[in-house]
Amino acid sequence: RRRLRTTNSVERLNEEIRRRERVIRIFPNRASVLRLLGALLMEMDEKWATGHRYLDMQEYWVWRASKASVVKQLA
């Protein structure tokens, strides 16, 4: 849910579907469409799961804990 703040990701997914659909043009049956969409969604899920994080919260929590311990020592 955190990644769906804007519709950019949804629009990007729709563009990817359209781009791949243009290559194939005519699908022989419904199952082939579902296979294509399933493969595309699995690919996108892999990218999201293993993708680069812009902000690693672990570093922030370590910094915050060290700051809290310094404040306790001063008090």
Side-chain angles (χ1 to χ4, degrees):
R1 288 187 174 193
R2 283 187 244 157
R3 293 180 186 241
L4 295 178
R5 291 183 196 154
T6 66
T7 60
N8 291 343
S9 58
V10 175
E11 290 172 11
R12 175 72 180 144
L13 179 62
N14 287 336
E15 268 188 46
E16 276 295 314
I17 292 170
R18 279 189 230 107
R19 184 179 69 82
R20 293 177 188 216
E21 181 261 335
R22 272 186 248 126
V23 171
I24 297 173
R25 292 197 178 180
I26 299 173
F27 292 95
N29 55 30
R30 243 181 122 101
S32 63
V33 174
L34 293 177
R35 277 194 305 272
L36 175 70
L37 292 177
L40 179 61
L41 291 173
M42 285 192 312
E43 181 182 322
M44 296 298 278
D45 182 60
E46 269 184 34
K47 283 182 185 177
W48 280 25
T50 61
H52 176 71
R53 291 186 178 181
Y54 296 101
L55 178 64
D56 186 12
M57 291 302 289
Q58 187 62 33
E59 292 178 24
Y60 168 74
W61 292 118
V62 170
W63 172 80
R64 186 173 174 185
S66 67
K67 185 179 175 183
S69 66
V70 169
V71 169
K72 284 180 183 180
Q73 290 175 356
L74 294 176

